[in-house]
Amino acid sequence: MAIDQLGPPSGSRPSMSGVGHHPAALASLAFEGARFGLATLDADDRLLTANASFRDLMGLSSEQPLHDIEIARLLPIGSALSCSASQLVREGWYEVYSRDPQAESGELLLSVTALEEDGIRLLTLMPRRMVSGGGVSRDALTGLGSPALFRDRLEHALVRAERHEHSFAIMLVELNLPPRPAGLVRWQRWQLLEQVSRRLRRVLREEDSLARLDEGSWGVLIEQPLTAQALHGVALRLEEAMDAPFQQGGGSALVTLTIGIARYPEDAEDVDELMESAGVALKTSRCLGPGSHAFRDLQVRREVEAQAAVLEQLQEALLFPDAHFHLVFQPQCDVETGRWIGIEALVRWPRPGHGVTEHGELLSAIQELGAQVTLDRWVLSQALEIKAAWQRTGLALGGLPLSVKLTLETLDQNVFDGFPLDQFLKRYSPALAGLCLEVPAAAFSALAEQPRHLLKRLQRQGITLVADGLESGPVSLVALAALGVRGAKLAPAFVAEMERSRLVQQGARGLIAGLHELGLTIVAAGVESGSQYALVSRLGVAGLQGRYLCPPLGVEELLGRWEEGQPQV
């Protein structure tokens, strides 16, 4: 950064004639004659001295005394002043927004240097037009990144996104505040902006970038992990952070935010276009009213709101699961005879006004609510109670293996109620024989030590572990063997891929051969057609599951089908 050579200042300035070469005299001459503003502050942030340029920039007359002027009421530079002396030297230049709704606006640059005696500091202040080059990275009021730093971070995020083929998003955040609320003077408004900035910073993650872009606007950069629903959640939390009143001048101020959201690469291909898209979204948000946010793509907002409605209904349903969820059962059939060799319990949610939601559709919403353990336990308890009822009546159906899908979170030792899964299942001991717990196959190789001990305890209860969802991705056969896994289930998507690709068929044969070497019983799920049945039957699996053989059935339908005799495929 360099100061442009603009020549000597206009107007009357001290000259060298008649001035001795004493260092103090020369320093005083340089201070008074500088083209840019110079001032000194005492330890209480009050002005001690100021040159003519500083007075001009601040609108102070030459006769106005300085000793009663507190700099924080003259300039919005709270963060720059709060830094320690060592930080002040490192920080360099700050950007200062001296914009006043009732006066002309102008952007200034500030440098603060700590002098050695009694906390005195030197301020250097100048219009940005006098400076060429970069180097400004912080806002003097809040300590947040400057617009230049925000753009630099956007450009780096774009490079990373292109290299790793992922997405990122920006938010333009605008404060909804009248130009001059009743009784709120200029320096109090600056204090308000500092408080708003602190609340915004508390909401965001450490890895998110927050910058102050203007008098009442901020920019937010959010990288991975990223979904439209997650961005919606961030925007809501930013808006909610403004709910509590801000204390100002002996009273309180209520403010709201307006937020525009744009995503890369969905809404733009470069930084300029992304900022423009976020600006368009911000305009849309303004039309929605204070305390609103909008995406550049209006359809995304509708989809996000629809998902939010799902989450709200699902949360209510989880409070009274018996009234809102029910189980269906799908048989697993012997590949040679077609007879039932097991059944799987599957959860269904008749969502009001939207029909029945199946397990796969439920999973992402359940994960977002963090309710995996709650739903898994409900399914287990219902399935085991039904199995126990069959056993008490002597129904042979109660002797078939019963499979239940589990999420990885249910294997956590430190669950919310202090009862790990093996402790939870003890109350259903008579029905545990033949219980097969289907755990995502990829989870076995990543399990920590405590869940591994839990798996061993479950096996001692007579429970069979099944590696669920096997497909073309990597899986550790060594981990399956080490953890005592006895069953494997091929994913429906894997079965569908085999029908389309000979290469996938070859990979499936290799995987199945490896599973056979470990002595695992293999079931192929998602068999939906005769062609899939014919293909998978030749691969060496023991069982098949899918609508082609039998659709999921309610309890009464299942019993009826069992009593009628199992049809051959």
Side-chain angles (χ1 to χ4, degrees):
M1 178 180 292
I3 300 174
D4 292 342
Q5 302 300 314
L6 299 178
S10 59
S12 175
R13 301 286 184 187
S15 67
M16 284 294 294
S17 59
V19 178
H21 293 281
H22 191 279
L26 290 174
S28 177
L29 179 64
F31 183 87
E32 288 296 335
R35 180 70 176 180
F36 41 85
L38 292 172
T40 56
L41 300 178
D42 64 15
D44 296 322
D45 297 335
R46 294 184 179 277
L47 284 171
L48 293 173
T49 60
N51 70 357
S53 292
F54 187 91
R55 288 177 177 272
D56 289 345
L57 288 169
M58 292 295 94
L60 301 175
S61 67
S62 58
E63 293 81 17
Q64 186 169 349
L66 301 176
H67 65 273
D68 60 345
I69 297 179
E70 187 179 342
I71 192 66
R73 301 195 177 197
L74 194 63
L75 279 171
I77 58 173
S79 177
L81 293 178
S82 65
C83 294
S84 69
S86 59
Q87 288 174 319
L88 290 171
V89 175
R90 290 199 301 269
E91 290 286 351
W93 291 96
Y94 290 87
E95 286 193 345
V96 181
Y97 297 100
S98 60
R99 183 165 300 166
D100 189 312
Q102 307 301 322
E104 280 191 32
S105 63
E107 189 180 85
L108 302 172
L109 300 182
L110 170 78
S111 176
V112 185
T113 305
L115 304 180
E116 293 184 0
E117 51 183 85
D118 300 326
I120 295 176
R121 284 151 294 167
L122 174 68
L123 304 187
T124 306
L125 190 69
M126 65 183 68
R128 174 177 278 280
R129 57 182 170 77
M130 291 183 63
V131 179
S132 60
V136 180
S137 62
R138 296 289 166 189
D139 167 47
L141 177 65
T142 64
L144 299 177
S146 66
L149 180 61
F150 187 65
R151 183 178 181 86
D152 181 69
R153 288 176 174 170
L154 284 184
E155 289 170 348
H156 281 84
L158 182 65
V159 171
R160 287 191 295 272
E162 290 175 341
R163 181 183 300 138
H164 302 294
E165 296 185 349
H166 66 229
S167 58
F168 67 92
I170 64 169
M171 295 182 177
L172 295 184
V173 181
E174 187 175 77
L175 184 65
N176 301 317
L177 183 69
R180 190 181 291 279
L184 195 63
V185 296
R186 183 177 61 176
W187 62 270
Q188 290 174 329
R189 188 170 68 254
W190 295 337
Q191 288 182 347
L192 176 61
L193 294 174
E194 282 190 273
Q195 294 175 41
V196 170
S197 297
R198 283 196 292 270
R199 289 195 190 180
L200 295 178
R201 193 156 32 192
R202 283 198 295 266
V203 168
L204 298 169
R205 304 172 303 176
E206 188 175 343
E207 56 266 36
D208 299 328
S209 294
L210 175 64
R212 185 174 175 225
L213 303 183
D214 208 332
E215 171 74 3
S217 66
W218 295 261
V220 180
L221 167 62
I222 299 176
E223 297 187 71
Q224 294 281 50
L226 188 72
T227 63
Q229 190 66 36
L231 291 171
H232 173 69
V234 173
L236 285 177
R237 290 194 295 274
L238 292 174
E239 292 164 7
E240 290 167 359
M242 302 299 116
D243 286 349
F246 292 86
Q247 299 306 312
Q248 287 290 316
S252 61
L254 290 173
V255 303
T256 58
L257 299 178
T258 302
I259 303 173
I261 307 170
R263 300 175 298 160
Y264 172 88
E266 292 86 349
D267 300 323
E269 296 182 353
D270 57 45
V271 170
D272 289 331
E273 191 177 350
L274 191 64
M275 290 293 289
E276 183 179 341
S277 294
V280 172
L282 186 62
K283 290 179 181 178
T284 303
S285 184
R286 289 183 193 131
C287 296
L288 297 174
S292 302
H293 63 274
F295 287 83
R296 174 64 179 88
D297 185 346
L298 297 180
Q299 180 60 28
V300 173
R301 174 63 186 254
R302 287 190 284 269
E303 292 171 359
V304 164
E305 289 176 343
Q307 179 65 8
V310 171
L311 294 178
E312 184 176 352
Q313 288 182 314
L314 184 56
Q315 199 159 27
E316 292 177 2
L318 287 165
L319 294 175
F320 305 98
D322 290 353
H324 294 277
F325 300 103
H326 68 264
L327 295 186
V328 294
F329 296 85
Q330 188 168 38
Q332 297 170 346
C333 303
D334 182 88
V335 72
E336 298 293 338
T337 66
R339 298 193 64 81
W340 294 1
I341 57 175
I343 53 175
E344 180 176 9
L346 300 166
V347 65
R348 295 291 185 264
W349 176 37
R351 184 186 168 204
H354 292 81
V356 176
T357 304
E358 298 188 2
H359 179 271
E361 299 172 273
L362 265 179
L363 192 57
S364 62
I366 288 293
Q367 288 174 334
E368 191 156 348
L369 291 175
Q372 299 96 312
V373 177
T374 300
L375 187 61
D376 281 355
R377 286 187 176 188
W378 183 85
V379 173
L380 277 168
S381 63
Q382 294 294 303
L384 290 170
E385 286 173 4
I386 291 171
K387 179 179 173 70
W390 292 338
Q391 291 174 337
R392 285 194 299 271
T393 58
L395 191 64
L397 188 60
L400 289 180
L402 171 66
S403 296
V404 177
K405 293 184 184 296
L406 291 186
T407 56
L408 184 58
E409 288 76 11
T410 302
L411 299 179
D412 189 355
Q413 289 271 77
N414 302 311
V415 286
F416 59 88
D417 60 358
F419 284 91
L421 183 59
D422 60 319
Q423 297 292 324
F424 172 78
L425 289 174
K426 280 184 178 179
R427 70 190 74 173
Y428 304 102
S429 293
L432 292 183
L435 177 62
C436 302
L437 298 181
E438 298 180 354
V439 179
F444 285 103
S445 58
L447 280 178
E449 194 65 25
Q450 284 189 342
R452 288 170 182 258
H453 291 311
L454 173 61
L455 294 182
K456 294 184 184 300
R457 298 200 301 272
L458 290 171
Q459 291 172 78
R460 286 197 290 269
Q461 290 177 301
I463 295 169
T464 299
L465 299 178
V466 178
D468 187 32
L470 287 164
E471 49 186 356
S472 53
V475 61
S476 173
L477 297 181
V478 174
L480 299 186
L483 293 171
V485 176
R486 292 291 175 261
K489 179 177 275 191
L490 304 184
F494 193 29
V495 172
E497 273 189 276
M498 291 182 213
E499 196 174 23
R500 296 190 296 267
S501 169
R502 190 173 297 275
L503 183 63
V504 175
Q505 292 176 31
Q506 293 172 348
R509 290 192 184 94
L511 174 61
I512 291 170
L515 296 172
H516 279 154
E517 283 294 318
L518 299 178
L520 271 62
T521 301
I522 307 166
V523 173
V527 179
E528 306 296 311
S529 66
S531 58
Q532 288 180 350
Y533 170 78
L535 173 63
V536 178
S537 297
R538 298 192 297 268
L539 295 179
V541 301
L544 302 172
Q545 180 179 343
R547 292 179 182 276
Y548 178 71
L549 297 104
C550 183
L553 304 170
V555 174
E556 297 302 322
E557 293 175 292
L558 186 76
L559 292 174
R561 184 73 66 94
W562 177 262
E563 291 171 356
E564 290 172 4
Q566 301 168 50
Q568 302 295 311
V569 179

